[in-house]
Amino acid sequence: MKIDILTIFPEFFDGVFDVGIIRRAKLAGIVEIDVHDIREFARDKHRKVDDRPFGGGEGMVLKPEPLFRAIENLLGTSDRSEYEEGTHVVMLTPRGKPLVQTNAAAIADKAKRVLLICGRYEGVDERVMSAVTDEISIGDYVLSGGEPAAVVLADAVTRLLPGALGNEGSAENDSFSRGILDYPNYTQPREYRGMEVPEVLLSGNHEEIEKWRHEKALEKTRGVREDLLKEKGE
Ligand code: 6GU
């Protein structure tokens, strides 16, 4: 998969993809991630990327020309109907659909080319949306820009690509992939500051362990995310 990120703050991404699973996936050729400065695609002498909103209001709005030029430069066209199959042009914005595991999985499954556009909090000229296939938000809170969201989406998608996780089973057991939160984990030492590892985990009885884990996962989910259980009809 090829992921291109369009941003006015390319330095935001320095080093973020050079650790852990993403770094490994990059080195293994599973994913390629390129960051592009939107300013490089501005043609006027001041390389202006934003301007004041028509109609008045606070803040600055990202101008359409540099974004269209960038999309055309990377994809050969900014006409959605001409995108190659498996191409997603994603606008990261608080106005988007909330990102959930199933969206990330769908992108990991089908997409070959993903272009992530980091919007500004104040906004992006609406005409850019004609070139966009998905509008995504990472949650109901305000970020200054789409940059942190691009990192979140790139991470959530990359770790699901075949071969990205050393242990292929581990994505299936993650919180959310089964629609509920993860069970609690313990490692050495068996006793720490008076806190013991639950006996059942030391029992070697795999059936009992599975049962305990499922109960604990449900208990946790009931406590903090009742909405997830309702979605599953439990
Ligand atoms: Cl994608 N962008 C911004 N600016 N704020 C957000 C967001 C994105 N998702 C949640 N809040």
Side-chain angles (χ1 to χ4, degrees):
M1 175 180 289
K2 171 89 190 294
I3 300 176
D4 291 286
I5 299 176
L6 294 177
T7 174
I8 58 171
F9 297 125
E11 63 277 20
F12 180 90
F13 297 91
D14 286 352
V16 279
F17 299 127
D18 294 329
V19 293
I21 286 164
I22 303 205
R23 174 186 150 86
R24 262 215 345 246
K26 279 169 56 183
L27 292 172
I30 292 165
V31 70
E32 184 184 340
I33 304 176
D34 288 334
V35 177
H36 312 270
D37 188 348
I38 294 166
R39 202 171 292 280
E40 308 262 310
F41 298 94
R43 275 290 154 268
D44 65 295
K45 71 170 188 254
H46 300 293
R47 299 220 273 170
K48 208 172 156 64
V49 292
D50 54 11
D51 210 332
R52 288 157 46 209
F54 278 124
E58 292 300 303
M60 299 289 268
V61 174
L62 288 185
K63 287 167 66 61
E65 308 95 310
L67 284 169
F68 275 95
R69 286 182 58 87
I71 295 166
E72 285 157 12
N73 191 276
L74 289 164
L75 301 178
T77 177
S78 55
D79 182 340
R80 259 190 316 226
S81 70
E82 289 177 359
Y83 293 158
E84 271 181 45
E85 200 178 306
T87 299
H88 287 250
V89 176
V90 178
M91 178 65 74
L92 295 156
T93 159
R95 298 176 65 204
K97 268 201 200 160
L99 176 64
V100 291
Q101 188 64 18
T102 47
N103 310 138
I107 293 174
D109 216 37
K110 301 241 165 60
K112 298 186 188 99
R113 202 78 211 262
V114 180
L115 210 157
L116 302 178
I117 306 172
C118 303
R120 293 315 299 156
Y121 161 65
E122 298 86 354
V124 178
D125 188 290
E126 189 67 18
R127 290 165 290 191
V128 175
M129 297 308 162
S130 68
V132 166
T133 60
D134 310 78
E135 271 188 276
I136 294 180
S137 160
I138 61 163
D140 293 339
Y141 41 81
V142 180
L143 302 171
S144 321
E147 285 78 10
V151 174
V152 167
L153 184 56
D155 186 299
V157 168
T158 298
R159 61 192 302 290
L160 294 175
L161 297 174
L165 297 182
N167 169 8
E168 289 292 329
S170 53
E172 268 132 59
N173 272 327
D174 285 342
S175 287
F176 298 113
S177 60
R178 290 162 303 143
I180 60 175
L181 304 181
D182 208 354
Y183 51 76
N185 286 293
Y186 293 86
T187 185
Q188 299 289 355
R190 283 170 69 146
E191 192 237 292
Y192 182 66
R193 298 190 178 182
M195 296 178 281
E196 309 256 2
V197 173
E199 201 60 41
V200 61
L201 298 178
L202 312 171
S203 69
N205 184 335
H206 292 289
E207 207 175 303
E208 282 300 310
I209 292 171
E210 278 315 298
K211 213 174 100 198
W212 181 87
R213 285 179 166 167
H214 185 63
E215 276 164 18
K216 288 290 174 186
L218 281 177
E219 204 176 283
K220 179 75 181 169
T221 309
R222 211 173 293 125
V224 298
R225 293 296 307 274
E226 269 248 78
D227 57 305
L228 293 177
L229 294 179
K230 294 223 174 75
E231 261 173 55
K232 274 174 73 83
E234 292 203 26

